[in-house]
Amino acid sequence: MIKTEPVHQQKFCYLIELTGDIHTDLLASLSADEQKLGDWERVYSAKLPTWRLWSDENADTIRYVVSHVIARYSLPQNDYWLIQYIGTDHQHPTMLHPRFHTR
């Protein structure tokens, strides 16, 4: 019997793509509270360092968390792209503006 229910029950799926070619482990840089935002997954098939976050949090919260992780750990990538999907529907993404950070 095939299960048709989605694996993730969260409201949103965020695709977080850092710029640059150094594959920093973003997940190792997360605090306990940041890890609790949802299910974080590394996307190994992507060319740029990319993660997927399944969460019920809104885009502003996710932007805040990602930008602060980058700034706090001085990750080599300052730019990132953030794409928001509604649940498991990956047909209609919302492109959220890239955020730029200076150290």
Side-chain angles (χ1 to χ4, degrees), residues 12-99:
F12 301 109
C13 175
Y14 295 95
L15 195 66
I16 304 158
E17 182 181 89
L18 301 182
T19 61
D21 56 1
I22 299 174
H23 282 259
T24 310
D25 190 358
L26 181 73
L27 303 186
S29 305
L30 297 173
S31 69
D33 286 340
E34 290 162 351
Q35 289 177 17
K36 290 178 188 173
L37 284 176
D39 298 333
W40 295 82
E41 302 172 350
R42 176 73 189 263
V43 181
Y44 288 98
S45 58
K47 288 185 179 179
L48 296 174
T50 305
W51 289 267
R52 197 175 285 119
L53 169 61
W54 299 86
S55 178
D56 290 327
E57 296 293 336
N58 64 33
D60 288 335
T61 300
I62 303 305
R63 266 197 292 253
Y64 177 85
V65 167
V66 173
S67 63
H68 278 73
V69 169
I70 290 172
R72 187 170 70 233
Y73 286 91
S74 298
L75 297 182
Q77 298 91 349
N78 274 346
D79 284 320
Y80 68 91
W81 295 93
L82 186 64
I83 300 171
Q84 181 193 65
Y85 299 95
I86 304 298
T88 55
D89 178 13
H90 286 200
Q91 303 302 312
H92 303 286
T94 300
M95 184 62 189
L96 306 173
H97 288 293
R99 182 66 63 88

